[in-house]
Amino acid sequence: MILEFLTQAASAAPSFGSPAEIWQHIVNDFSNIGSPAAMSAFLQVLMIDIVLAGDNAIVVGALAAGLPADQRRKVIVIGVLAALVLRVAFALVVQQLMGIVGLIFVGGLLLVWVAWKMWRELREGAHSAGSPEVEGDEHSGLKPAKSFAAAAWAVAVADVSMSLDNVLAVAGAARDHPGIMIVGLIVAVALMGVAANIIAKYIERYRWIAYIGLAVIVYVAVKMIYEGWVDPGVGIGTLFG
């Protein structure tokens, strides 16, 4: 019964539309990028993408750190490719996901957990073995996996969680600006594939970047929890009204 309800809600949710409609969304939002609302959404999305791409790289590197060099490189490549595929997959259905009653609220709670985890890692600064391929992962506080299979499984679970976090955070930050949301999701995929290790290095060197990203994620989480409760269309409060 619940599964049927969620399926119907997802199928009824709006989509981005055809390529022409997607392009029109982007043009509309970026033609008004000077407005406070659009600029705020764009900056939030950009900071979320930067911080979570670096965090993803650090987690993957830390989990692979205890393996021999050849296996370590394989796990890191698998982790990056999986993150790319998952971000694309989640991005394709994000509008449907955001249309499910209660999911915005749950997504906000998920982001609170992400923020708490980031805060704990920033405060503790725990050391692990680290991997030569990813700079900054020696301070992740994560224990490296003991075997290739264990590392691959841990990376897969982490990728699913962080990719969903990334897509929900971007969607929550730019919910009223579909063009900015689309560009933000494209940037998320591009950063993960091209610049995640570079971002990880700079986040480790300049910790204030991570703290700004943490503040943005907390803000988006609180906004999603509020909207996920009161929104007349998809708010969880409608279930109790």
Side-chain angles (χ1 to χ4, degrees):
M1 183 69 181
I2 296 175
L3 181 60
E4 182 182 353
F5 169 74
L6 292 177
T7 303
Q8 290 174 352
S11 62
S15 64
F16 286 129
S18 67
E21 290 172 325
I22 290 173
W23 178 248
Q24 192 58 50
H25 283 313
I26 294 172
V27 170
N28 289 342
D29 280 335
F30 280 89
S31 63
N32 297 314
I33 196 65
S35 69
M39 179 58 72
S40 174
F42 178 69
L43 292 177
Q44 288 175 47
V45 164
L46 190 60
M47 182 55 67
I48 288 167
D49 282 341
I50 289 172
V51 173
L52 292 185
D55 197 42
N56 205 146
I58 288 170
V59 168
V60 170
L63 292 172
L67 301 175
D70 58 332
Q71 294 185 3
R72 188 176 62 240
R73 284 190 289 269
K74 287 179 183 178
V75 167
I76 290 173
V77 169
I78 290 171
V80 171
L81 291 177
L84 286 171
V85 171
L86 287 167
R87 276 164 169 73
V88 171
F90 287 140
L92 290 174
V93 298
V94 65
Q95 285 288 76
Q96 284 77 11
L97 290 175
M98 297 296 278
I100 297 176
V101 174
L103 193 63
I104 295 175
F105 182 82
V106 173
L109 295 178
L110 181 62
L111 289 184
V112 169
W113 177 79
V114 171
W116 175 80
K117 183 166 65 75
M118 284 183 64
W119 168 256
R120 188 182 62 181
E121 290 171 1
L122 287 169
R123 296 290 292 176
E124 292 177 357
H127 291 262
S128 62
S131 59
E133 293 84 358
V134 179
E135 297 188 49
D137 57 345
E138 63 275 10
H139 302 291
S140 68
L142 296 173
K143 292 182 179 179
K146 295 181 180 180
S147 68
F148 180 84
W153 173 251
V155 165
V157 172
D159 275 338
V160 170
S161 173
M162 288 185 289
S163 296
L164 185 58
D165 295 344
N166 195 172
V167 171
L168 284 175
V170 167
R175 190 177 169 208
D176 297 326
H177 303 275
I180 292 175
M181 185 192 302
I182 293 163
V183 171
L185 294 172
I186 294 171
V187 170
V189 172
L191 288 178
M192 190 61 233
V194 178
N197 188 25
I198 298 173
I199 293 168
K201 177 177 67 176
Y202 280 98
I203 286 176
E204 170 58 26
R205 185 178 300 173
Y206 306 108
R207 305 292 277 179
W208 57 268
I209 298 175
Y211 280 108
I212 292 176
L214 175 62
V216 171
I217 291 172
V218 170
Y219 170 76
V220 172
V222 171
K223 186 176 76 167
M224 288 179 70
I225 290 171
Y226 174 75
E227 293 179 352
W229 184 270
V230 304
D231 189 287
V234 295
I236 199 171
T238 60
L239 299 177
F240 304 99

